Amino acid sequence: MADELDPSVQTDAINAEYKYPFHWDLDFSLNIGEDNRKFFEGMEEKRILGKKCPDCGATFVPPQAVCVECYVETDEWVEVEQRGVVESYTACFFEFEGLPEPPYITAAIRVADSDICMLHFIDGIEYEDHDELVEKLHKGTEVEPVWADEREGHIRDIKHWEPVEK
Amino acid sequence: MSRVAIAGHGTYGFGSDTNGRSDTEMVLEASMAALESANLSHEEVDSIIYTGQDAYDGSAISDGQRVSAAGGYRKPFMRIQNGGGAAIHQAVAKINSGKADVVSIVAADSVYADPRVLSWTSHEALYHRTIGQNNDQSFGLLATVHQEERGVSDETLAQVAEKNYRAAANNDVAHRQEAYSVEDVLEADRVVGPLTELMLRPNSFGAAVCVLVSESFAEERGNARSWITGTGLATGKYWYRDMSGRLEQPTLQQAASTAFEEADVTIDDVDAAEIAAYSPTLEMTSYEAIGLCAEGESSSLIEDGVTAPNGSFPVNLSGGPLATSPPNAGGIYRAIAASQVIEGDLGDGSAERVLLADNDMHLGEPGRTDAVMVLEGGAA
């Protein structure tokens, strides 16, 4: 049992109400597989990689081992243009553990001509409140990645995406 | 297909805590109430299905801890993780295959953990956990698409919540029983995008048990409360990677179509619905997916009060997930509520056929399984 638990799980009234706190503290390790390894190696080199379906030609960024429509193995690697469009976004006003101080924006971004989206942060937009943000960001907004100076083969090697200046 | 009857049901709760009860105590109380309402003894139960998730139970193989309270020793006991609707679907299959005449479906929610951590702990780790994908953000992404593509206003979203809270005010087991106004909903704390705290479900605690019996058993005992005459189940891919199709809810469409075909009815033959909609967007797009209106026209159903408690096609007379949302027991509770609409215990008692639509969306939308059932009245 941990000595101190997060107050969000209401452990402050433990014995008085016969609530017994407990804590899962398990470390896990995951083999991410060949496709993801190659994708993250590309990120370290500021490259965005995807894979194509041999049957329908769909491109998947991030790469997928299987085409979700054809159920065949994807087999062709492609380096895609570092541009994306916002398919949807949401401004988060509540603090989630391990995430930026709110408000911040999470978006579903379709990179290059990918058939699927990837999730990431949007930043570089000045806004005061939600209404102003809604005026500045839309489905279809073009965005580009802002890379971290120090990269380690991780999705956060892209610090965030921001609207393309025209 | 032979009909399967809901012969009994019982609940403990629902609320923001368990009122000092353990999971075992709640399961026992709800199970005994369900058996009593079915006029059945524990010995007559052939099989138990438990539905729950380890992360929300705070322990691995958590079903093992509930076998005794559920009356499951010396009986086939199985667990399904992806929701009560899927568990009911499995129970119907078990009865129709001749494997059982009486199946009890059991769930409880008793452990408090921070849902905003838990929701993305349950998601795919590789891209999304580090980026913060979790249930609320998933609902926010969908709400933004809904507003941009269909022109839905914040006020309309709030009206969906308001009519659910109006219904919940008349449901004495609902978690949120206050009839919040549209203004209350709009002025509540904003959480993600246009969605305020009152447009998102609470985390509810309690237990729910539903007892299903075969048609021959129900006819012999005369204990049918309602009949399940059609079922459908469908699973889809990772929809948050494909935003353009998400508003159409194709898995709900497919599951509903299968259930309608099996029951030999159309949406025009249905009087009401209980729908697992975890945000106003999901409720509105569900109207379109089940064929209650054309694509993009759900706003008019809300504005005209069609799906309000006193409307011509009431949706969520229990208050729905915005009022009561236990992660494990939600699907079973919604089946109970659908049966109560048939039985005349929720609403004005005029519904002869009710659609039940459940899914595993309470975690957001990393994938999607929809289970749909058609419930009907009529004597055993």
Side-chain angles (χ1 to χ4, degrees):
Chain A
M1 187 181 297
D3 293 332
E4 293 183 13
L5 296 176
D6 189 315
S8 68
V9 296
Q10 300 179 358
T11 54
D12 54 337
I14 294 165
N15 292 325
E17 299 180 17
Y18 283 91
K19 287 183 178 175
Y20 278 68
F22 65 98
H23 177 67
W24 278 11
D25 188 8
L26 307 174
D27 294 326
F28 293 92
S29 179
L30 171 75
N31 193 320
I32 64 173
E34 178 72 12
D35 288 341
N36 290 313
R37 182 184 62 76
K38 196 161 179 172
F39 174 67
F40 286 121
E41 285 175 354
M43 300 279 286
E44 206 165 354
E45 299 166 0
K46 293 190 180 181
R47 301 164 66 216
I48 299 178
L49 303 176
K51 282 186 88 178
K52 292 185 77 167
C53 171
D55 279 8
C56 69
T59 303
F60 300 105
V61 182
Q64 293 197 167
V66 61
C67 173
V68 294
E69 295 296 339
C70 306
Y71 196 57
V72 296
E73 189 175 355
T74 55
D75 61 354
E76 182 186 349
W77 282 93
V78 289
E79 180 176 352
V80 300
E81 187 184 7
Q82 296 193 12
R83 288 284 181 103
V85 296
V86 172
E87 290 289 338
S88 186
Y89 67 93
T90 190
C92 183
F93 295 85
F94 198 92
E95 189 162 3
F96 291 89
E97 187 178 278
L99 294 176
E101 190 174 329
Y104 61 92
I105 304 162
T106 305
I109 302 166
R110 191 179 299 275
V111 182
D113 61 349
S114 172
D115 272 49
I116 60 174
C117 296
M118 67 186 294
L119 289 161
H120 219 292
F121 300 113
I122 304 283
D123 207 344
I125 302 172
E126 297 292 329
Y127 70 99
E128 292 292 327
D129 56 33
H130 177 260
D131 292 336
E132 190 178 346
L133 172 66
V134 168
E135 292 301 313
K136 291 187 173 180
L137 197 58
H138 298 282
K139 175 181 168 68
T141 299
E142 286 190 46
V143 291
E144 60 189 358
V146 176
W147 293 92
D149 293 334
E150 303 286 332
R151 295 176 303 282
E152 53 183 15
H154 191 272
I155 193 68
R156 296 294 293 270
D157 285 353
I158 295 175
K159 289 197 295 186
H160 57 262
W161 295 66
E162 64 182 27
V164 175
E165 287 188 21
K166 293 182 178 176
Chain B
M1 181 188 99
S2 296
R3 298 183 300 173
V4 168
I6 292 180
H9 45 72
T11 58
Y12 179 92
F14 292 91
S16 57
D17 205 341
T18 67
N19 291 320
R21 308 296 295 276
S22 71
D23 57 342
T24 303
E25 291 163 341
M26 293 192 301
V27 166
L28 185 63
E29 185 166 322
S31 287
M32 287 183 162
L35 290 171
E36 186 178 351
S37 73
N39 192 26
L40 284 169
S41 68
H42 145 256
E43 287 80 9
E44 291 175 291
V45 177
D46 295 317
S47 182
I48 308 275
I49 297 178
Y50 169 80
T51 179
Q53 305 148 94
D54 286 344
Y56 279 83
D57 290 337
S59 62
I61 322 177
S62 50
D63 53 316
Q65 301 167 11
R66 281 143 191 171
V67 174
S68 178
Y73 280 128
R74 298 182 300 280
K75 302 176 192 296
F77 188 101
M78 69 182 294
R79 180 211 194 143
I80 289 179
Q81 287 224 51
N82 67 338
I88 295 167
H89 192 274
Q90 177 62 29
V92 170
K94 186 171 263 205
I95 289 170
N96 280 333
S97 69
K99 295 288 185 187
D101 274 320
V102 182
V103 179
S104 181
I105 311 158
V106 178
D109 293 274
S110 62
V111 178
Y112 190 91
D114 185 344
R116 291 177 175 86
V117 177
L118 201 52
S119 65
W120 89 72
T121 299
S122 306
H123 277 196
E124 178 183 346
L126 207 50
Y127 304 114
H128 311 123
R129 192 179 300 173
T130 53
I131 298 299
Q133 171 74 7
N134 52 50
N135 48 15
D136 287 344
Q137 288 181 358
S138 179
F139 302 140
L141 288 166
L142 190 56
T144 301
V145 174
H146 194 211
Q147 292 199 308
E148 289 209 345
E149 295 198 0
R150 305 273 170 88
V152 177
S153 68
D154 290 1
E155 287 71 20
T156 302
L157 298 178
Q159 285 175 334
V160 175
E162 182 275 336
K163 68 99 181 156
N164 280 306
Y165 292 126
R166 201 183 335 149
N170 294 317
N171 178 4
D172 59 9
V173 303
H175 178 170
R176 288 173 172 165
Q177 292 186 22
E178 188 170 341
Y180 295 107
S181 66
V182 169
E183 290 71 29
D184 291 335
V185 174
L186 288 171
E187 290 168 7
D189 289 343
R190 195 181 290 273
V191 180
V192 278
L195 303 179
T196 68
E197 200 160 16
L198 288 175
M199 294 181 195
L200 295 163
R201 74 276 167 271
N203 237 48
S204 308
F205 294 86
V209 175
C210 194
V211 179
L212 269 53
V213 302
S214 66
E215 182 169 15
S216 58
F217 192 96
E219 286 174 345
E220 181 187 326
R221 300 292 287 268
N223 61 354
R225 292 174 167 271
S226 60
W227 294 96
I228 298 173
T229 56
T231 60
L233 191 71
T235 296
K237 60 188 177 185
Y238 277 36
W239 293 109
Y240 56 74
R241 294 179 177 178
D242 181 18
M243 298 301 298
S244 60
R246 295 177 71 210
L247 296 176
E248 296 168 11
Q249 302 201 60
T251 51
L252 175 56
Q253 283 184 38
Q254 187 182 342
S257 173
T258 305
F260 285 147
E261 188 175 334
E262 198 168 81
D264 196 23
V265 298
T266 71
I267 188 67
D268 295 334
D269 302 313
V270 179
D271 305 308
E274 284 286 319
I275 298 176
Y278 296 92
S279 73
T281 294
L282 282 162
E283 180 164 332
M284 292 175 68
T285 54
S286 294
Y287 300 166
E288 299 162 17
I290 64 174
L292 192 58
C293 64
E295 188 175 303
E297 293 183 5
S298 54
S299 291
S300 61
L301 296 187
I302 293 298
E303 286 154 14
D304 297 342
V306 172
T307 57
N310 58 347
S312 59
F313 190 100
V315 172
N316 290 342
L317 283 162
S318 67
L322 293 189
T324 308
S325 187
N328 292 329
I332 299 173
Y333 173 59
R334 267 177 285 285
I336 292 171
S339 188
Q340 287 176 320
V341 173
I342 297 277
E343 296 165 38
D345 290 340
L346 278 175
D348 64 9
S350 65
E352 295 179 359
R353 193 174 284 115
V354 175
L355 186 80
L356 164 65
D358 189 34
N359 57 58
D360 54 0
M361 278 285 290
H362 68 88
L363 290 172
E365 207 170 23
R368 176 97 183 236
T369 298
D370 279 90
V372 174
M373 270 142 264
V374 177
L375 273 67
E376 299 182 19

